Amino acid sequence: MRQDLCQLLGIRAPIIAGGMTLVSTPELVAAVSNAGGLGVFATGDKAQEGGPERVEAELRRLKTLTDQPFGVNIPIHSPVAGALVDIVCAEGATLVTTGAGNPAPYLPQLHAAGLKVAPVVPSPEIAAKMEAAGADLVIAEGMESGGFIGKITTLVLVPQVASAVTIPVVAAGGFADGRGLAAAFALGACGVQLGTRFMASRECQLPDVYKQAILAQRSADAIVEGAVLPGLLSHRSIRTPAAEAVIAYEHTPGATPEGFRELFDAARLEVTGHLDKAVLGMGQVAGLIHEELSCQDIIDTIMRECQEVLGDLAPLGAQ
Ligand SMILES: Cc1cc2nc3c(=O)[nH]c(=O)nc-3n(C[C@H](O)[C@H](O)[C@H](O)COP(=O)(O)O)c2cc1C
């Protein structure tokens, strides 16, 4: 553990709930932050639905639900990324996490507003570029994670990123318990970012049918769309008829990236409680998640288990 994530972000447990499109509402973010972790608000979907004004209103609401540090996730490819940066700088936050593009042009403005910036990175090369651009920390996310994914597993990625940069590294993809947190420390990370585990939390406002799917499904059910046709980002999700139909389309002779995007985008925004119609992110870690818990219980359990694991391992270090 080269640097203390808790000290860096002013939190009590080195656990970030990653910003999740359609999932990370002010209620979920506040619950994680109030429980001692860092909740991260996702802006992508809100910006699409109601424009930057909706993001501003939701951020203001979030600030009425917690007085603890929280983060905001900004997808850099968003046509309104600049407006989102302006809003976050005006409203304030502790951390901005970024994905889908290079945040370098926005770093001076974010830093001037007192924000720390953590790009999500899929490779050691991109991690090194982000450090050179001025990022404060990086989130190394492996391909077992839910949502859009890279090509390298967490176990292989995190130590490479830890060797490639001198800034703190947070490990993401596949974490749900204290064994995982202890492993992340061993790999050179100073904390973990979780997504899927917090989807199956009491405070997550997703319709119950999605939470039940996460509890029931196994690791191999976390299927990947967008891995066949050229030029697409891969995405890992709950096994649903809609997700299987998208994958079946990709294998159809004559399938095109445009045809894929049309099917995928229509289903990805479908979280109205009809499981069969949805393509909704879920990581392989679903196989480790068997119970809906409060955010406080999730964080407390991870911390307790991690202490136990580190205690059990201590004699090995003394040999
Ligand atoms: C449903 C869903 C939506 C997500 N949306 C985003 C997003 O908008 N921006 C982002 O940077 N990461 C997003 N992620 C990734 C998470 O923030 C987190 O890094 C990832 O879920 C960690 O892997 P895990 O699911 O194995 O815990 C999403 C993940 C899921 C499951």
Side-chain angles (χ1 to χ4, degrees):
M1 202 183 340
R2 290 185 298 181
Q3 242 162 320
D4 186 346
L5 188 66
C6 294
Q7 214 179 345
L8 193 69
L9 302 179
I11 54 180
R12 300 191 298 280
I15 298 170
I16 298 175
M20 290 178 278
T21 297
L22 298 165
V23 178
S24 299
T25 59
E27 285 74 13
L28 178 61
V29 175
V32 173
S33 289
N34 290 337
L38 188 88
V40 178
F41 179 68
T43 61
D45 47 326
K46 283 99 187 170
Q48 240 170 48
E49 284 165 20
E53 299 75 28
R54 165 106 191 269
V55 171
E56 187 175 48
E58 294 277 274
L59 269 182
R60 288 187 178 160
R61 197 161 69 77
L62 168 57
K63 289 195 287 184
T64 67
L65 301 175
T66 184
D67 58 0
Q68 298 299 307
F70 64 84
V72 179
N73 178 256
I74 298 181
I76 297 297
H77 71 159
S78 163
V80 294
L84 296 176
V85 168
D86 290 344
I87 289 168
V88 176
C89 288
E91 292 301 319
T94 296
L95 183 72
V96 168
T97 66
T98 66
N102 185 351
Y106 300 112
L107 285 175
Q109 187 185 351
L110 290 163
H111 282 153
L115 296 158
K116 295 195 168 63
V117 182
V120 177
V121 299
S123 72
E125 293 78 15
I126 294 180
K129 270 193 198 144
M130 292 297 110
E131 176 172 39
D136 301 281
L137 57 164
V138 286
I139 300 169
E141 186 186 71
M143 53 96 76
E144 53 270 68
S145 79
F148 289 102
I149 55 172
K151 292 189 171 10
I152 307 177
T153 62
T154 303
L155 184 63
V156 173
L157 175 66
V158 174
Q160 289 189 67
V161 171
S163 296
V165 299
T166 60
I167 52 177
V169 178
V170 172
F175 297 101
D177 63 19
R179 295 172 294 185
L181 177 57
F185 288 148
L187 294 174
C190 61
V192 287
Q193 169 163 297
L194 282 59
T196 304
R197 173 62 273 194
F198 284 110
M199 290 173 82
S201 69
R202 293 228 175 95
E203 294 89 347
C204 173
Q205 298 185 311
L206 278 177
D208 201 47
V209 64
Y210 305 112
K211 297 188 193 181
Q212 291 308 322
I214 291 170
L215 299 181
Q217 294 202 354
R218 315 295 299 265
S219 294
D221 292 315
I223 53 179
V224 176
E225 307 88 35
V228 178
L229 300 167
L232 298 174
L233 262 183
S234 299
H235 180 269
R236 189 182 296 284
S237 64
I238 300 176
R239 184 187 293 280
T240 63
E244 288 182 320
V246 170
I247 295 169
Y249 170 80
E250 294 180 77
H251 289 92
T252 310
T256 62
E258 295 71 34
F260 169 89
R261 277 196 204 101
E262 209 170 300
L263 264 184
F264 179 79
D265 289 347
R268 201 166 81 87
L269 297 176
E270 172 66 49
V271 285
T272 49
H274 302 283
L275 186 63
D276 55 330
K277 292 188 186 149
V279 174
L280 182 64
M282 176 187 85
Q284 291 187 345
V285 75
L288 278 175
I289 302 170
H290 309 298
E291 211 185 340
E292 186 180 335
L293 296 172
S294 70
C295 292
Q296 188 74 65
D297 280 345
I298 291 171
I299 290 176
D300 289 349
T301 306
I302 292 175
M303 294 310 292
R304 194 190 63 245
E305 287 173 354
C306 179
Q307 292 299 337
E308 285 167 12
V309 171
L310 294 177
D312 288 349
L313 294 177
L316 290 175
Q319 275 172 13

PDB file of all heavy atoms in Angstrom, residues 225-242:
ATOM      1  N   GLU A 225     -21.063  -8.213 -24.766  1.00  0.00           N
ATOM      2  CA  GLU A 225     -21.492  -7.766 -26.088  1.00  0.00           C
ATOM      3  C   GLU A 225     -20.363  -6.923 -26.702  1.00  0.00           C
ATOM      4  O   GLU A 225     -19.530  -6.372 -25.982  1.00  0.00           O
ATOM      5  CB  GLU A 225     -22.754  -6.881 -26.000  1.00  0.00           C
ATOM      6  CG  GLU A 225     -23.915  -7.482 -25.234  1.00  0.00           C
ATOM      7  CD  GLU A 225     -23.841  -7.182 -23.747  1.00  0.00           C
ATOM      8  OE1 GLU A 225     -23.379  -6.087 -23.381  1.00  0.00           O
ATOM      9  OE2 GLU A 225     -24.224  -8.050 -22.940  1.00  0.00           O
ATOM     10  N   GLY A 226     -20.370  -6.817 -28.005  1.00  0.00           N
ATOM     11  CA  GLY A 226     -19.431  -5.914 -28.680  1.00  0.00           C
ATOM     12  C   GLY A 226     -18.026  -6.461 -28.798  1.00  0.00           C
ATOM     13  O   GLY A 226     -17.073  -5.686 -28.918  1.00  0.00           O
ATOM     14  N   ALA A 227     -17.882  -7.771 -28.766  1.00  0.00           N
ATOM     15  CA  ALA A 227     -16.533  -8.350 -28.828  1.00  0.00           C
ATOM     16  C   ALA A 227     -16.218  -8.948 -30.195  1.00  0.00           C
ATOM     17  O   ALA A 227     -15.138  -9.496 -30.399  1.00  0.00           O
ATOM     18  CB  ALA A 227     -16.382  -9.419 -27.747  1.00  0.00           C
ATOM     19  N   VAL A 228     -17.149  -8.848 -31.149  1.00  0.00           N
ATOM     20  CA  VAL A 228     -16.967  -9.559 -32.421  1.00  0.00           C
ATOM     21  C   VAL A 228     -16.691  -8.596 -33.581  1.00  0.00           C
ATOM     22  O   VAL A 228     -15.719  -8.770 -34.325  1.00  0.00           O
ATOM     23  CB  VAL A 228     -18.228 -10.406 -32.744  1.00  0.00           C
ATOM     24  CG1 VAL A 228     -18.074 -11.116 -34.083  1.00  0.00           C
ATOM     25  CG2 VAL A 228     -18.492 -11.417 -31.624  1.00  0.00           C
ATOM     26  N   LEU A 229     -17.515  -7.574 -33.742  1.00  0.00           N
ATOM     27  CA  LEU A 229     -17.382  -6.653 -34.886  1.00  0.00           C
ATOM     28  C   LEU A 229     -16.296  -5.611 -34.600  1.00  0.00           C
ATOM     29  O   LEU A 229     -16.033  -5.294 -33.441  1.00  0.00           O
ATOM     30  CB  LEU A 229     -18.726  -5.955 -35.147  1.00  0.00           C
ATOM     31  CG  LEU A 229     -19.887  -6.909 -35.481  1.00  0.00           C
ATOM     32  CD1 LEU A 229     -21.223  -6.179 -35.416  1.00  0.00           C
ATOM     33  CD2 LEU A 229     -19.684  -7.527 -36.852  1.00  0.00           C
ATOM     34  N   PRO A 230     -15.665  -5.078 -35.674  1.00  0.00           N
ATOM     35  CA  PRO A 230     -14.561  -4.126 -35.444  1.00  0.00           C
ATOM     36  C   PRO A 230     -15.044  -2.780 -34.919  1.00  0.00           C
ATOM     37  O   PRO A 230     -16.178  -2.361 -35.183  1.00  0.00           O
ATOM     38  CB  PRO A 230     -13.972  -3.953 -36.859  1.00  0.00           C
ATOM     39  CG  PRO A 230     -15.082  -4.316 -37.795  1.00  0.00           C
ATOM     40  CD  PRO A 230     -15.926  -5.333 -37.088  1.00  0.00           C
ATOM     41  N   GLY A 231     -14.173  -2.128 -34.157  1.00  0.00           N
ATOM     42  CA  GLY A 231     -14.412  -0.736 -33.759  1.00  0.00           C
ATOM     43  C   GLY A 231     -15.427  -0.539 -32.654  1.00  0.00           C
ATOM     44  O   GLY A 231     -15.887   0.584 -32.437  1.00  0.00           O
ATOM     45  N   LEU A 232     -15.775  -1.597 -31.941  1.00  0.00           N
ATOM     46  CA  LEU A 232     -16.772  -1.447 -30.868  1.00  0.00           C
ATOM     47  C   LEU A 232     -16.110  -1.600 -29.504  1.00  0.00           C
ATOM     48  O   LEU A 232     -15.111  -2.312 -29.373  1.00  0.00           O
ATOM     49  CB  LEU A 232     -17.863  -2.511 -31.011  1.00  0.00           C
ATOM     50  CG  LEU A 232     -18.688  -2.466 -32.288  1.00  0.00           C
ATOM     51  CD1 LEU A 232     -19.618  -3.681 -32.349  1.00  0.00           C
ATOM     52  CD2 LEU A 232     -19.511  -1.185 -32.350  1.00  0.00           C
ATOM     53  N   LEU A 233     -16.676  -0.943 -28.506  1.00  0.00           N
ATOM     54  CA  LEU A 233     -16.237  -1.164 -27.127  1.00  0.00           C
ATOM     55  C   LEU A 233     -16.999  -2.366 -26.584  1.00  0.00           C
ATOM     56  O   LEU A 233     -18.216  -2.449 -26.757  1.00  0.00           O
ATOM     57  CB  LEU A 233     -16.604   0.049 -26.279  1.00  0.00           C
ATOM     58  CG  LEU A 233     -15.533   1.105 -26.002  1.00  0.00           C
ATOM     59  CD1 LEU A 233     -16.104   2.165 -25.076  1.00  0.00           C
ATOM     60  CD2 LEU A 233     -14.284   0.468 -25.395  1.00  0.00           C
ATOM     61  N   SER A 234     -16.317  -3.267 -25.913  1.00  0.00           N
ATOM     62  CA  SER A 234     -17.011  -4.422 -25.329  1.00  0.00           C
ATOM     63  C   SER A 234     -17.694  -4.013 -24.027  1.00  0.00           C
ATOM     64  O   SER A 234     -17.249  -3.104 -23.330  1.00  0.00           O
ATOM     65  CB  SER A 234     -16.024  -5.553 -25.065  1.00  0.00           C
ATOM     66  OG  SER A 234     -15.431  -5.951 -26.273  1.00  0.00           O
ATOM     67  N   HIS A 235     -18.759  -4.731 -23.697  1.00  0.00           N
ATOM     68  CA  HIS A 235     -19.586  -4.392 -22.532  1.00  0.00           C
ATOM     69  C   HIS A 235     -20.013  -5.688 -21.863  1.00  0.00           C
ATOM     70  O   HIS A 235     -20.468  -6.622 -22.517  1.00  0.00           O
ATOM     71  CB  HIS A 235     -20.819  -3.614 -23.021  1.00  0.00           C
ATOM     72  CG  HIS A 235     -21.767  -3.200 -21.940  1.00  0.00           C
ATOM     73  ND1 HIS A 235     -22.837  -3.971 -21.533  1.00  0.00           N
ATOM     74  CD2 HIS A 235     -21.815  -2.080 -21.185  1.00  0.00           C
ATOM     75  CE1 HIS A 235     -23.497  -3.345 -20.578  1.00  0.00           C
ATOM     76  NE2 HIS A 235     -22.906  -2.192 -20.349  1.00  0.00           N
ATOM     77  N   ARG A 236     -19.861  -5.760 -20.514  1.00  0.00           N
ATOM     78  CA  ARG A 236     -20.228  -6.991 -19.804  1.00  0.00           C
ATOM     79  C   ARG A 236     -21.520  -6.774 -19.029  1.00  0.00           C
ATOM     80  O   ARG A 236     -21.654  -5.776 -18.319  1.00  0.00           O
ATOM     81  CB  ARG A 236     -19.107  -7.403 -18.851  1.00  0.00           C
ATOM     82  CG  ARG A 236     -19.328  -8.780 -18.236  1.00  0.00           C
ATOM     83  CD  ARG A 236     -18.227  -9.163 -17.254  1.00  0.00           C
ATOM     84  NE  ARG A 236     -16.912  -9.297 -17.857  1.00  0.00           N
ATOM     85  CZ  ARG A 236     -16.515 -10.340 -18.594  1.00  0.00           C
ATOM     86  NH1 ARG A 236     -17.358 -11.329 -18.837  1.00  0.00           N
ATOM     87  NH2 ARG A 236     -15.299 -10.385 -19.084  1.00  0.00           N
ATOM     88  N   SER A 237     -22.450  -7.715 -19.151  1.00  0.00           N
ATOM     89  CA  SER A 237     -23.778  -7.465 -18.571  1.00  0.00           C
ATOM     90  C   SER A 237     -24.435  -8.717 -18.012  1.00  0.00           C
ATOM     91  O   SER A 237     -23.958  -9.844 -18.196  1.00  0.00           O
ATOM     92  CB  SER A 237     -24.672  -6.830 -19.629  1.00  0.00           C
ATOM     93  OG  SER A 237     -24.872  -7.731 -20.682  1.00  0.00           O
ATOM     94  N   ILE A 238     -25.559  -8.463 -17.329  1.00  0.00           N
ATOM     95  CA  ILE A 238     -26.445  -9.527 -16.851  1.00  0.00           C
ATOM     96  C   ILE A 238     -26.880 -10.368 -18.050  1.00  0.00           C
ATOM     97  O   ILE A 238     -27.148  -9.830 -19.119  1.00  0.00           O
ATOM     98  CB  ILE A 238     -27.707  -8.907 -16.190  1.00  0.00           C
ATOM     99  CG1 ILE A 238     -27.331  -8.020 -15.006  1.00  0.00           C
ATOM    100  CG2 ILE A 238     -28.704  -9.982 -15.776  1.00  0.00           C
ATOM    101  CD1 ILE A 238     -28.516  -7.293 -14.359  1.00  0.00           C
ATOM    102  N   ARG A 239     -26.971 -11.704 -17.874  1.00  0.00           N
ATOM    103  CA  ARG A 239     -27.494 -12.537 -18.971  1.00  0.00           C
ATOM    104  C   ARG A 239     -29.009 -12.336 -19.050  1.00  0.00           C
ATOM    105  O   ARG A 239     -29.741 -12.733 -18.136  1.00  0.00           O
ATOM    106  CB  ARG A 239     -27.179 -14.017 -18.716  1.00  0.00           C
ATOM    107  CG  ARG A 239     -27.611 -14.924 -19.868  1.00  0.00           C
ATOM    108  CD  ARG A 239     -27.449 -16.397 -19.519  1.00  0.00           C
ATOM    109  NE  ARG A 239     -26.065 -16.810 -19.372  1.00  0.00           N
ATOM    110  CZ  ARG A 239     -25.242 -17.104 -20.372  1.00  0.00           C
ATOM    111  NH1 ARG A 239     -25.671 -17.037 -21.611  1.00  0.00           N
ATOM    112  NH2 ARG A 239     -24.005 -17.492 -20.129  1.00  0.00           N
ATOM    113  N   THR A 240     -29.438 -11.660 -20.099  1.00  0.00           N
ATOM    114  CA  THR A 240     -30.872 -11.456 -20.341  1.00  0.00           C
ATOM    115  C   THR A 240     -31.153 -11.844 -21.789  1.00  0.00           C
ATOM    116  O   THR A 240     -30.229 -11.875 -22.612  1.00  0.00           O
ATOM    117  CB  THR A 240     -31.269  -9.976 -20.175  1.00  0.00           C
ATOM    118  OG1 THR A 240     -30.559  -9.206 -21.170  1.00  0.00           O
ATOM    119  CG2 THR A 240     -30.958  -9.436 -18.789  1.00  0.00           C
ATOM    120  N   PRO A 241     -32.409 -12.084 -22.134  1.00  0.00           N
ATOM    121  CA  PRO A 241     -32.726 -12.360 -23.534  1.00  0.00           C
ATOM    122  C   PRO A 241     -32.260 -11.227 -24.456  1.00  0.00           C
ATOM    123  O   PRO A 241     -31.776 -11.486 -25.563  1.00  0.00           O
ATOM    124  CB  PRO A 241     -34.255 -12.479 -23.530  1.00  0.00           C
ATOM    125  CG  PRO A 241     -34.573 -12.962 -22.139  1.00  0.00           C
ATOM    126  CD  PRO A 241     -33.569 -12.288 -21.244  1.00  0.00           C
ATOM    127  N   ALA A 242     -32.378  -9.977 -24.007  1.00  0.00           N
ATOM    128  CA  ALA A 242     -31.950  -8.855 -24.864  1.00  0.00           C
ATOM    129  C   ALA A 242     -30.441  -8.888 -25.099  1.00  0.00           C
ATOM    130  O   ALA A 242     -29.966  -8.660 -26.211  1.00  0.00           O
ATOM    131  CB  ALA A 242     -32.355  -7.532 -24.225  1.00  0.00           C
TER     132      ALA A 242
END
